[in-house]
Amino acid sequence: MSPHGDKSDAAEEALVAETEKRPISTILIVIAMQTEALPVVNKFNLTEDPDSVFPKGVPWVRYHGFYKDLHINLVWPGKDSSLGVDCVGTVSASLVTYAAIQALQPDLIINAGTAGGFKAKGAGIGDVYLACDVAYHDRRIPIPVFDLYGVGLRQACVSPNLQKELNLKVGKLSTGNSLDMSPQDEASIIANDATIKDMEGAAVAYVADLLKVPIIFVKAVTDVVDGEKPTAEEFLQNLSAVTAALEEKITQVIEFINGKCLSDL
């Protein structure tokens, strides 16, 4: 008789295979900033949910609508109630992703947004990347095995056809809770072999992996981290133009996904 675990593994594999062959119906776009979100909201005529699926009192916002065969949900963590700024970073991203998955049961997550890029790895302002995997660069735990947990490496959904069709650059994404880069962060980013860095991706990936929802990452470069200009200055200078490029690429991604199964990506 087979061990109990073998049956469980076989059932899970069968479920995954079935899911990969079913047309994608519901997508969840997770975006950190309102400036990044609104171009996509306007492009697809998404409407804000008046009866929030989220707990009472949280600032999280959901927009949704239908485009061709897809039910599009876009969530962002909203504004901090005290300071009025976007709730960026890993904590808000992981919370809103968890709540959205529980409420909406998406077939696929798209974590979209802006990122810093490294010219040493070929990144330039306005480049749009499809991240192949994602890890943290600011969770340093120098104890065996805990060090790997801290890095938190996770894979994106394999999507070679999407990458080829849209001619997207591919690179590794590294996540941390600071816009700038300390020497310790830089060493970890190099160890991660990252081309781009953001403040949410690895957190969204953790929740997606926890709840077994496939995820892809679409990131547009606003600033060159290893360039001459201060990061914050360059980020703010390029944010508007780069979010326009991001919206264009997200539109192309959604067009490509429509009518396809996960295995077609």
Side-chain angles (χ1 to χ4, degrees), residues 58-193:
V58 299
W60 312 333
V61 181
R62 172 198 176 216
Y63 297 94
H64 68 109
F66 292 88
Y67 178 75
K68 296 186 177 178
D69 297 330
L70 295 172
H71 183 197
I72 301 173
N73 296 275
L74 185 151
V75 299
W76 70 287
K79 302 273 189 181
D80 181 86
S81 59
S82 299
L83 301 173
V85 296
D86 295 279
C87 295
V88 299
T90 58
V91 175
S92 290
S94 59
L95 285 170
V96 76
T97 301
Y98 178 84
I101 292 174
Q102 292 290 83
L104 305 170
Q105 298 293 305
D107 300 312
L108 177 69
I109 296 171
I110 302 172
N111 177 218
T114 55
F118 293 87
K119 67 178 181 181
K121 301 286 285 184
I125 302 297
D127 287 347
V128 182
Y129 278 84
L130 193 65
C132 52
D133 62 42
V134 58
Y136 289 98
H137 58 253
D138 63 353
R139 300 203 313 183
R140 291 176 287 277
I141 313 173
I143 301 171
V145 185
F146 278 98
D147 55 353
L148 298 177
Y149 170 78
V151 171
L153 177 65
R154 283 177 171 78
Q155 308 295 320
C157 177
V158 178
S159 48
N161 297 324
L162 173 65
Q163 186 273 325
K164 183 178 179 181
E165 178 72 21
L166 302 187
N167 195 30
L168 290 162
K169 288 190 168 187
V170 176
K172 297 183 178 183
L173 172 64
S174 197
T175 296
N177 272 303
S178 296
L179 184 65
D180 64 2
M181 181 176 66
S182 70
Q184 294 92 339
D185 289 345
E186 183 175 15
S188 296
I189 289 168
I190 291 170
N192 289 343
D193 192 29

Side-chain angles (χ1 to χ4, degrees), residues 202-229:
V204 179
Y206 169 76
V207 179
D209 184 44
L210 194 67
L211 299 180
K212 306 304 178 194
V213 183
I215 184 170
I216 61 174
F217 302 86
V218 182
K219 301 287 178 173
V221 176
T222 49
D223 53 281
V224 177
V225 185
D226 52 350
E228 305 300 322
K229 292 185 178 180

Side-chain angles (χ1 to χ4, degrees), residues 226-244:
D226 52 350
E228 305 300 322
K229 292 185 178 180
T231 295
E233 177 185 320
E234 194 168 34
F235 169 76
L236 292 171
Q237 178 184 332
N238 295 316
L239 182 59
S240 179
V242 172
T243 52

